[in-house]
Amino acid sequence: MAEELVPETPETEEKPIKQRKNGLYPGVTDELAENMRSGWADTELQDLEPIAQAAHTAARRAALSARFPGERLVIPAGNLKTRSNDTEYTFRASTEYTYLTGDQTQDGVLVLEPRPAPESTGTGGHDATIYLLPRSNRENGEFWLDGQGELWVGRRHSLGEAGQLLGIPAKDVRGLAAALGDATGPVRTVRGHDAAVEAALTDKVTAERDEELRVYLSEARVVKDAFEIGELQKAVDSTVRGFEDVVKILDKAEATSERYIEGTFFLRARVEGNDIGYGSICAAGPHATTLHWVRNDGDVRRGDLLLLDAGVETYTLYTADVTRTLPIDGRYSEIQRKIYDAVYEAQEAGIAAVRPGAKYRDFHDASQHVLAEKLVAWGLLEGPVEKALELGLQRRWTLHGTGHMLGLDVHDCAAARREAYADGTLEPGMCLTVEPGLYFQADDLTVPEEYRGIGVRIEDDILVTEDGNRNLSAGLPRRSDEVEAWMAALRQV
Ligand code: GLY
Ligand code: MN
Ligand code: MN
């Protein structure tokens, strides 16, 4: 067993109570303080079952341990961020911490402590410990006077409960930073989440070595395990219901704005999951040509298209990323259909190129080829198609890449090296979006007027399987006539 990083009773000073400043308790008499110490039931939970992903997180930690033998690895969840004065943004645990623990607690830190290596093998593996804030102390008033006391923010799991649930021994996080500062030996951390942890390690880590850890944790997530695939399907299924919700309220959105659509989808995300996985793009009319239109304050008008790009994030933080471009009045106009059907054809070609052994870039190339063909056929782009593609001229209207990995992050695995991602080969268990689009800006004088202000994207979440792929978002229609029939049926109920 390695020497304990933080002993059971840390010699560090107790964290001072940070009283809330909202003036609800202007003064505390000794009598009240004494009164608040007692009269509370013991609510410790016993014999808890581990969370569903515990076996998977254990396997992920084992793989991490094997990659960095003999080194201490420190993976923080992150801290609350101030929104204004004494209110904070909703907390979202770091992807790396969530991936390795299944936990989402603010200020949590996972530490993999290297065991002494037996001479015979040269490597002893690691002991994992999760460092968390314990239940609030009732003796010293922390529980009701501290801003993070349980009376204010709700009951936390005790360290014993957390250990049982996560399958990782849990210890008090207070004192961890100091202990990390005092500890010796090679260490790496994931940067950007916890300033106190980083400050404690500042003389012990290098940016280059920490980056290797970040890259490893990105590449480890490229192929999803069975639990992750199940969660992605749940995220997509909730997202499908969220799109149905939106279709049903389009007339109400017409009376207000894109915000009604945003709010409607958000309701589904919060009721069935943790949140939305990224800011919903609710882009009506010409806003559809702005790729990341998240202001969502525009008008919703009959005769226009609505480009809705939205995804529910599950309670375990896996997100969907789906786009449909819908006729607000239920039927595509002639020019809208022409552009929509071209994007559909491009998406079909892209999805058909997703299979094990294919190059990652194949689906992008397949989609772009179709779009360039259409643009040449419509006389918007000078041929031949191959020449236009070589020069990338179609990109004036296709604008973005055709997809990306999907998982805990909407743009998942972003720190992976090119050879493991963009220049890599598809394998079963990878999950990616296929999302071609055509966008004709309202002020684009190079296209006939009827095209201007039309933006179309169709985006689905595609799992690479042993023999091809599975469209996780097949629950939403994609073909223009099927979209119209689906909308008509939803609006009748
Ligand atoms: N919603 C962002 C994207 O599609 O990549
Ligand atoms: Mn999207
Ligand atoms: Mn996407």
Side-chain angles (χ1 to χ4, degrees), residues 35-68:
N35 176 281
M36 289 296 282
R37 279 195 187 103
S38 59
W40 309 107
D42 177 1
T43 61
E44 182 76 5
L45 303 170
Q46 307 292 338
D47 303 323
L48 295 171
E49 290 294 321
I51 56 173
Q53 68 268 48
H56 293 284
T57 59
R60 298 170 199 161
R61 292 191 301 275
L64 173 65
S65 166
R67 168 65 182 80
F68 296 102

Side-chain angles (χ1 to χ4, degrees), residues 97-336:
Y97 175 88
T98 305
Y99 176 72
L100 292 168
T101 66
D103 185 50
Q104 299 177 32
T105 310
Q106 71 210 40
D107 303 327
V109 184
L110 172 71
V111 178
L112 264 58
E113 191 72 17
R115 294 190 202 110
E119 276 181 21
S120 53
T121 63
T123 169
H126 289 78
D127 287 318
T129 306
I130 193 157
Y131 290 87
L132 299 166
L133 205 54
R135 303 261 349 252
S136 292
N137 187 329
R138 301 192 182 216
E139 277 298 312
N140 67 5
E142 177 195 6
F143 120 91
W144 68 292
L145 292 172
D146 190 290
Q148 288 303 312
E150 287 179 294
L151 187 135
W152 289 96
V153 299
R155 188 190 188 280
R156 288 189 272 277
H157 285 300
S158 71
L159 298 180
E161 291 166 357
Q164 291 174 61
L165 288 166
L166 303 173
I168 311 170
K171 288 191 175 178
D172 191 338
V173 70
R174 294 170 297 184
L176 175 65
L180 287 171
D182 292 341
T184 56
V187 56
R188 299 183 197 240
T189 190
V190 179
R191 297 186 177 203
H193 301 313
D194 190 320
V197 166
E198 281 178 44
L201 295 174
T202 187
D203 297 332
K204 304 171 194 295
V205 293
T206 68
E208 206 177 358
R209 286 165 40 80
D210 286 353
E211 180 62 12
E212 283 171 2
L213 174 59
R214 195 170 80 97
V215 167
Y216 168 81
L217 288 172
S218 223
E219 293 181 4
R221 305 200 315 272
V222 165
V223 174
K224 271 62 185 173
D225 62 33
F227 177 82
E228 295 183 290
I229 292 167
E231 291 301 293
L232 283 165
Q233 185 66 67
K234 277 190 213 164
V236 168
D237 291 347
S238 286
T239 299
V240 168
R241 289 189 279 276
F243 274 67
E244 290 169 354
D245 296 339
V246 167
V247 169
K248 289 180 191 164
I249 57 79
L250 272 179
D251 52 343
K252 292 201 180 102
E254 278 173 49
T256 55
S257 81
E258 295 163 341
R259 287 284 161 94
Y260 205 98
I261 292 165
E262 179 183 337
T264 301
F265 188 83
F266 184 64
L267 179 64
R268 182 64 68 170
R270 283 294 282 174
V271 169
E272 294 194 1
N274 177 60
D275 205 335
I276 45 175
Y278 54 92
S280 300
I281 298 168
C282 307
H287 290 156
T289 65
T290 302
L291 293 180
H292 284 175
W293 177 260
V294 290
R295 282 183 231 156
N296 300 340
D297 58 358
D299 292 335
V300 177
R301 294 197 185 94
R302 299 180 75 74
D304 279 348
L305 294 175
L306 168 70
L307 186 156
L308 177 60
D309 182 344
V312 173
E313 179 187 67
T314 60
Y315 289 112
T316 56
L317 306 190
Y318 288 83
T319 189
D321 181 11
V322 174
T323 306
R324 289 293 181 269
T325 307
L326 310 171
I328 290 162
D329 60 14
R331 275 194 73 76
Y332 295 99
S333 71
E334 200 177 323
I335 182 72
Q336 289 168 351

Side-chain angles (χ1 to χ4, degrees), residues 278 309 321-323 403-404 406 410-411 433 435 457 459 461:
Y278 54 92
D309 182 344
D321 181 11
V322 174
T323 306
H404 51 83
L406 184 70
V410 61
H411 296 159
T433 67
E435 49 174 309
R457 176 163 66 255
E459 175 172 28
D461 300 343

